[in-house]
Amino acid sequence: MRYLSLLLFLGLTACFTPRETVQTEPDIPSVQTQAPDATAKIEKKPKFKAYGEVITPEAETDEGLFTVHHVGEEYYFEIPFSLLNRDLLLVTRIAKIPAELGGGYLNAGSKTNEQLVRWNRVGDAVHLTSVSYSSVADTSLPINMSVQDNNYAPVVMAFKIATFNPDSTAAVIPVKELFVSDVQAISGLSKRLRKEYEVRSLDKDRSFISRMASYPENVEVRHDMTYAANDPPSNARTGTISMQLSQSMYLLPEQPMQPRLYDERVGWFTVRQVDYGSEALKADEKRYIKRWKLVPKDPEAYARGELVEPEEPIVYYLDPATPEKFRTFFRQGIEDWQEAFEAAGFKNAIVARDAPSRAEDPDWSPEDARYSVVRYVASTTRNAIGPSVVDPRSGQIIESDIIWYHNHLRSYRNRYMLETGAANPSARTLDTPDAEIGEMMRRVISHEVGHALGLPHNMKASYAYPTDSLRSATFTNTWGLASTIMDYTRYNYVAQPGDDGVRWVRMLGPYDIYAINWGYRYLPEARSAAAEKDSLNAWIAEKQGDPVYLFGGYSSSDPSAQTEAVGDDPVKASRYGMKNLRIVAANLADWTTRDGEDYADLEELYGELLSVWSRYAAHVTANIGGVYEQLKTTDEEGNVYSHLSEKEQAEAVDFLNEEVFSTLEWLMPERIVANIGPSGIVQRMRRLQSRQLNNLLDADRLLRMVENQALNGSAAYTAPEMLEQLRRGLWADAMEGRSIDGFRRNLQRAHVERLTELLNEDAEDATDIGALARAELSAIARLARSAASRYREGIVKYHLQEVEADIEATLTAK
């Protein structure tokens, strides 16, 4: 039996030939003069070209993170196998921008996308995939498999391997197609902009790679893109939008930094992740703060409380294009933060250096990810920005460039004159002294560096200081104008003529020191983000209840979190501001006109003066229907939200009736309005005042007041009370039979128009706002009917009769 089995096995083996060893005969030619050599091998074309055939001697090559080549019309990446499956950050920015693109909200340097990517080999190709860390789970947990399956990484583009480097440790791929195709993942045009400008397509014939460079930790590509568009933002006749994009690919640390958990009571920029491996009975959203990795050189000395230098300090290089006279101020603006880092235990944690010259370091480049740079940009843009590149896995800031646009000098000169000129003689000129403009630039740089360190705007900081304290030289020179430089408290517009020695310009404050310590103090004993939480909470608890250490972003409903405000009493601060603005308006022509020059500067500054007036008015309006927000955890006493008192809100309406809804002769000096245009001041004032009126009669504001009454009853300042108080102010002339000038008539029409809009808008929602608007319109109609009888024939009488007729038509239609 055993012998029979062996025979069967041998027979089957003889009948079966593995697929790999099967030989197929070549096709037999139709005419064959000689029998083929049975031993001859069939030659096959190599799958890949030789390296020298692809990367020819004419190639322009740059070595770095991975080698890049330019050969003829093609560009190649030579990607080491060691970088396959490594996490890299791809950041897309607009390097050169057409005029008016984005309506002023985009500029050269604006980031349009940031994504984590990986290079993966798939057979004979290399894929570029976009990987998300928004959903995570520890790799040791079973649920991680589900996270991976439900967050499959999309392929941005696939590249056929052209060759391998000589020692076969890297794949060479052609990449031109990535940068001259309309790839949404790296585009500079969002869907909104494409729709707005009616973009039809990318013209590949007018799109090209302009440069490519490789550095030790990043690769940079510049490529110009031209789109066909029906309605481009500028140069409309061309039917074209052209822009240059910058693609920056950064190698991220192989081991991510230990993150630090975010607490909303201390403001930080953050990265978000949904942790499916959390013990919480839900997909647990976690936020980690954005910060640089600072580790003390001498941990033992650090633990003893000594100031210790970090292993790798934060270094900012000054752009060689920075004017020499401003370099000192830029250095100071950067190194002002050293005091805050000392509170966190680090000395020399942040330093400023001049960029090396070509002779000193011919390879130095601001595009090298190892260098953070304060760039000075020749541009008409009035702005400065402090962006950073962040590892989305941990929140670690990898690199940052502060951008100062040259024309921002003009913004600060103008605001300095308008907001401090009444009490500050040195601000009363178009030629602001270098030392003073330099001080302003220093503080702008500090503000932008603050962003690059991880700090967002803190609009509650201005509310931390008593308004009258800002008139004190001792107080302002010790504490500044707000508790942080991250507020938009640029100038001291409260100080009055005679308040000698006060500080005019913002500076770092105690909140900055507190926040940097909270975010950067090294906690080696905590081996996880969760293990740090008790320490972080304790530091917040130490400052509990102190307004100096509160955080809050801008809120339209919270009067303590307004932009461009100063002091803890908006009504008092705006009264001081309006008082100063009267002096400025009366003298603006003298301060801005020069012999032999036109009135362009006067016209520009007058427009900005009206904007300053509007801000002062809006700060007061925020009190009405205002709700204070103070962020708390459940173990802290008190409520998070509380309405303003009746007294505070009523005082705010009184201010508006007196300062905002009156005829503003002082805001229209003849020397200004008679020299900047032939007409239009009446309509300009109508728009100016109507905007403030519409802000006051905002539907959300009225709903908050209705809710306040529902919750707090007689203690609340009610919407009917506010509307009556406003009506008595706006229509006082008619009620008393006095003449009603053209400015007041315009404002009365705007009042009726806004109430009519509220009535119409509420038709679908059916809230109390419709009833309030109807009641007010009825009261105004009765008032107009009664008042019209007091006037003889003329424009005032006709105006009142028209008001009554319009309201009656509206109410009848409803």
Side-chain angles (χ1 to χ4, degrees):
M1 187 70 179
R2 206 180 291 169
Y3 176 71
L4 179 59
S5 298
L6 178 59
L7 285 175
L8 287 170
F9 173 76
L10 292 173
L12 289 169
T13 304
C15 295
F16 175 74
T17 304
R19 186 174 180 180
E20 293 82 55
T21 63
V22 172
Q23 299 293 320
T24 58
E25 292 184 356
D27 293 336
I28 300 173
S30 56
V31 177
Q32 186 170 338
T33 59
Q34 183 178 353
D37 182 354
T39 63
K41 293 182 178 180
I42 301 171
E43 291 188 8
K44 293 183 178 180
K45 185 178 180 181
K47 187 180 290 187
F48 305 104
K49 289 183 178 181
Y51 184 80
E53 293 181 67
V54 178
I55 309 302
T56 65
E58 290 75 31
E60 298 174 17
T61 297
D62 194 19
E63 297 180 354
L65 176 63
F66 48 80
T67 304
V68 299
H69 306 279
H70 179 200
V71 186
E73 296 296 317
E74 187 55 83
Y75 288 82
Y76 296 90
F77 284 174
E78 186 174 314
I79 303 176
F81 296 147
S82 60
L83 289 181
L84 296 180
N85 300 308
R86 282 289 302 273
D87 288 343
L88 301 105
L89 196 66
L90 178 57
V91 181
T92 302
R93 301 183 182 89
I94 300 176
K96 295 182 180 179
I97 189 169
E100 306 302 325
L101 184 75
Y105 293 97
L106 290 174
N107 47 51
S110 291
K111 187 188 303 180
T112 63
N113 198 13
E114 185 172 300
Q115 58 193 311
L116 193 148
V117 297
R118 291 181 189 145
W119 295 102
N120 312 101
R121 183 175 179 181
V122 181
D124 295 338
V126 172
H127 290 183
L128 179 65
T129 57
S130 181
V131 183
S132 173
Y133 269 84
S134 60
S135 297
V136 299
D138 192 282
T139 54
S140 65
L141 298 174
I143 198 172
N144 181 64
M145 292 186 291
S146 179
V147 170
Q148 298 305 317
D149 290 344
N150 288 283
N151 292 274
Y152 190 64
V155 177
V156 176
M157 187 170 281
F159 307 86
K160 186 174 177 59
I161 296 174
T163 187
F164 299 94
N165 69 339
D167 63 0
S168 297
T169 59
V172 179
I173 58 174
V175 295
K176 177 182 176 182
E177 190 66 18
L178 174 64
F179 301 109
V180 297
S181 299
D182 196 7
V183 180
Q184 188 64 37
I186 60 170
S187 175
L189 287 179
S190 65
K191 289 181 179 179
R192 179 185 66 81
L193 293 178
R194 289 167 187 263
K195 182 177 180 180
E196 180 178 350
Y197 301 130
E198 299 180 25
V199 174
R200 300 193 305 275
S201 62
L202 175 74
D203 187 343
K204 295 181 73 169
D205 291 336
R206 291 183 287 169
S207 301
F208 54 91
I209 297 173
S210 49
R211 69 181 296 270
M212 193 177 282
S214 190
Y215 303 96
E217 296 175 9
N218 64 298
V219 171
E220 298 289 323
V221 179
R222 292 284 183 99
H223 56 120
D224 291 64
M225 308 291 274
T226 297
Y227 298 87
N230 293 335
D231 189 20
S234 55
N235 298 310
R237 290 182 180 179
T238 66
T240 293
I241 298 175
S242 290
M243 62 199 313
Q244 187 178 90
L245 297 178
S246 165
Q247 308 292 344
S248 305
M249 190 171 292
Y250 301 85
L251 179 65
L252 295 177
E254 198 157 11
Q255 178 61 43
M257 175 187 76
Q258 179 174 299
R260 178 158 292 181
L261 285 166
Y262 169 71
D263 190 307
E264 66 177 355
R265 295 171 293 173
V266 186
W268 284 84
F269 292 127
T270 63
V271 295
R272 296 171 182 259
Q273 295 177 0
V274 176
D275 185 1
Y276 287 91
S278 169
E279 292 298 321
L281 299 179
K282 61 178 181 178
D284 193 9
E285 182 181 86
K286 292 181 178 176
R287 295 172 67 182
Y288 300 114
I289 68 172
K290 296 180 180 181
R291 58 179 182 147
W292 298 79
K293 184 178 181 180
L294 290 186
V295 177
K297 283 183 179 178
D298 186 342
E300 293 181 358
Y302 187 92
R304 293 194 299 268
E306 298 176 25
L307 288 180
V308 176
E309 292 188 344
E311 291 178 354
E312 293 185 25
I314 303 164
V315 179
Y316 277 99
Y317 291 86
L318 299 188
D319 189 337
T322 307
E324 189 62 42
K325 65 181 179 179
F326 295 138
R327 287 174 175 268
T328 297
F329 301 111
F330 278 30
R331 290 190 195 96
Q332 289 173 334
I334 295 165
E335 295 184 349
D336 279 340
W337 286 97
Q338 286 187 355
E339 179 184 0
F341 279 104
E342 287 174 3
F346 293 100
K347 67 179 179 181
N348 300 323
I350 182 167
V351 295
R353 295 176 185 166
D354 286 329
S357 66
R358 282 288 179 196
E360 292 169 328
D361 186 351
D363 295 326
W364 190 91
S365 169
E367 292 185 341
D368 191 329
R370 295 173 298 170
Y371 308 124
S372 294
V373 183
V374 178
R375 301 196 184 199
Y376 197 100
V377 179
S379 169
T380 57
T381 299
R382 293 193 187 186
N383 200 9
I385 57 175
S388 57
V389 175
V390 178
D391 185 343
R393 305 168 305 172
S394 65
Q396 180 181 350
I397 298 173
I398 304 298
E399 177 264 352
S400 129
D401 287 332
I402 309 300
I403 301 177
W404 171 278
Y405 297 96
H406 178 74
N407 231 33
H408 208 30
L409 291 167
R410 194 177 189 93
S411 298
Y412 278 83
R413 178 204 68 181
N414 291 359
R415 292 280 297 276
Y416 191 52
M417 176 187 293
L418 297 171
E419 295 187 33
T420 77
N424 177 13
S426 64
R428 301 167 187 168
T429 174
L430 294 174
D431 300 314
T432 310
D434 284 349
E436 293 176 47
I437 202 71
E439 173 68 8
M440 298 173 219
M441 295 175 78
R442 168 185 177 178
R443 303 305 173 175
V444 176
I445 294 298
S446 286
H447 179 93
E448 301 306 335
V449 169
H451 285 321
L453 295 175
L455 302 180
H457 292 132
N458 179 5
M459 298 307 179
K460 275 194 178 291
S462 56
Y463 211 79
Y465 294 163
T467 300
D468 279 323
S469 293
L470 298 172
R471 300 185 60 185
S472 163
T474 302
F475 183 92
T476 54
N477 286 301
T478 303
W479 300 103
L481 311 184
S483 62
T484 174
I485 200 164
M486 303 313 297
D487 199 335
Y488 271 169
T489 301
R490 304 176 205 266
Y491 296 110
N492 184 353
Y493 61 77
V494 161
Q496 299 292 292
D499 294 341
D500 297 332
V502 297
R503 182 172 183 82
W504 302 112
V505 181
R506 60 184 169 173
M507 68 181 198
L508 266 73
Y511 176 87
D512 299 309
I513 295 170
Y514 161 71
I516 291 296
N517 175 71
W518 191 92
Y520 281 95
R521 179 159 286 279
Y522 184 61
L523 297 173
E525 68 282 0
R527 299 304 177 91
S528 69
E532 295 183 338
K533 196 167 182 179
D534 287 344
S535 295
L536 300 177
N537 280 337
W539 297 338
I540 297 173
E542 289 175 4
K543 308 297 185 183
Q544 187 176 10
D546 190 334
V548 167
Y549 301 103
L550 295 180
F551 171 77
Y554 167 74
S555 170
S556 60
S557 60
D558 184 352
S560 69
Q562 301 297 300
T563 64
E564 315 287 352
V566 295
D568 66 348
D569 185 336
V571 173
K572 181 181 286 188
S574 290
R575 283 197 188 280
Y576 282 136
M578 293 289 193
K579 189 175 179 181
N580 282 337
L581 213 54
R582 280 178 163 83
I583 297 172
V584 172
N587 291 279
L588 193 61
D590 290 329
W591 297 347
T592 60
T593 54
R594 298 166 173 168
D595 291 346
E597 301 287 341
D598 61 19
Y599 290 95
D601 285 318
L602 176 61
E603 184 175 6
E604 176 185 317
L605 276 145
Y606 181 64
E608 293 189 30
L609 182 144
L610 299 182
S611 296
V612 172
W613 177 90
S614 295
R615 283 195 292 273
Y616 295 167
H619 295 159
V620 175
T621 302
N623 270 15
I624 303 158
V627 181
Y628 290 126
E629 178 187 67
Q630 185 172 337
L631 299 171
K632 297 175 182 287
T633 52
T634 55
D635 56 314
E636 294 181 277
E637 295 180 358
N639 296 324
V640 174
Y641 299 102
S642 57
H643 291 268
L644 268 72
S645 70
E646 180 179 9
K647 180 174 180 292
E648 289 174 297
Q649 296 186 62
E651 286 179 350
V653 177
D654 282 341
F655 174 91
L656 295 177
N657 278 331
E658 295 167 15
E659 295 283 357
V660 177
F661 300 140
S662 57
T663 298
L664 305 170
E665 293 99 340
W666 67 268
L667 203 51
M668 301 174 281
E670 182 181 355
R671 283 194 62 196
I672 296 178
V673 298
N675 288 300
I676 63 173
S679 62
I681 191 62
V682 174
Q683 290 306 311
R684 193 169 189 174
M685 285 296 124
R686 172 175 177 161
R687 289 193 298 270
L688 190 73
Q689 293 181 302
S690 296
R691 194 176 300 120
Q692 298 306 317
L693 181 63
N694 292 344
N695 182 22
L696 174 60
L697 297 179
D698 175 73
D700 288 340
R701 188 184 313 281
L702 293 170
L703 284 174
R704 290 196 300 272
M705 300 182 78
V706 169
E707 183 172 308
N708 185 20
Q709 183 179 10
L711 294 173
N712 297 304
S714 61
Y717 179 64
T718 68
E721 288 174 328
M722 183 273 284
L723 291 170
E724 180 183 2
Q725 189 176 351
L726 175 65
R727 175 174 18 100
R728 289 185 176 279
L730 289 177
W731 298 86
D733 294 333
M735 293 168 67
E736 297 170 13
R738 299 196 302 267
S739 177
I740 307 174
D741 63 36
F743 298 101
R744 177 53 66 94
R745 294 196 300 272
N746 273 339
L747 193 53
Q748 290 172 348
R749 292 189 192 99
H751 187 203
V752 172
E753 288 170 6
R754 180 56 188 154
L755 290 169
T756 302
E757 287 173 358
L758 289 171
L759 181 63
N760 293 333
E761 290 168 2
D762 196 60
E764 294 182 6
D765 297 334
T767 69
D768 285 341
I769 292 179
L772 290 168
R774 181 180 292 275
E776 276 303 297
L777 286 169
S778 297
I780 294 170
R782 291 193 299 273
L783 187 157
R785 185 186 313 118
S786 173
S789 63
R790 301 193 188 102
Y791 296 91
R792 296 181 178 180
E793 299 297 315
I795 189 62
V796 173
K797 188 179 189 72
Y798 305 151
H799 160 71
L800 293 170
Q801 290 173 337
E802 182 183 43
V803 165
E804 181 191 2
D806 286 348
I807 292 175
E808 292 298 336
T810 296
L811 296 179
T812 300
K814 293 296 179 182

